[in-house]
């Protein structure tokens, strides 16, 4: 798999089992973060780091496509080609 293919499939492979809209719990599971951290991203006053979402009553919903765009735009270049579940060998 080349670098371009890896970048395109990386967030899609994490999100493929979810519907069009994800809950805070879904996103926290996908990103392996606490739900309170997802809520902080949703309510951030910094537009550059704010996770797009919509609040319906007391619940937040995040569109899968918007989450995908957010992840691509905020990825770390060093880890863009690997998923959090990849096992890494010794670095020495």
């Amino acid at each position: 798999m080349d670098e371009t293919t890896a970048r395109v499939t990386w967030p899609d492979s994490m999100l493929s089992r979810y519907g069009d809209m994800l809950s805070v719990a879904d996103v926290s599971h996908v990103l392996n973060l606490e739900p309170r951290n997802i809520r902080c991203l949703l309510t951030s006053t910094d537009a550059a780091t704010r996770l797009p979402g919509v609040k319906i009553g007391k619940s937040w919903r995040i569109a899968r496509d918007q989450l995908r765009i957010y992840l691509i735009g905020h990825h770390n270049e060093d880890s863009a080609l690997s998923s959090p579940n990849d096992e890494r060998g010794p670095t020495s």
Side-chain angles (χ1 to χ4, degrees), residues 18-90:
Y18 295 95
D20 291 337
M21 298 296 282
L22 287 79
S23 67
V24 169
D26 293 335
V27 176
S28 70
H29 183 260
V30 168
L31 301 181
N32 198 27
L33 293 172
E34 292 291 326
R36 68 175 177 263
N37 293 334
I38 302 304
R39 286 187 201 92
C40 284
L41 289 172
L42 287 163
T43 59
S44 174
T45 57
D46 181 4
T49 60
R50 186 178 312 123
L51 177 62
V54 62
K55 192 168 186 180
I56 303 171
K58 293 183 179 182
S59 300
W60 283 95
R61 292 293 181 259
I62 301 92
R64 184 181 60 209
D65 292 340
Q66 289 295 314
L67 178 58
R68 180 184 181 277
I69 291 166
Y70 181 86
L71 291 173
I72 291 170
H74 290 85
H75 75 276
N76 180 337
E77 287 292 331
D78 294 336
S79 64
L81 298 178
S82 63
S83 73
N85 296 328
D86 286 346
E87 291 191 56
R88 297 178 184 232

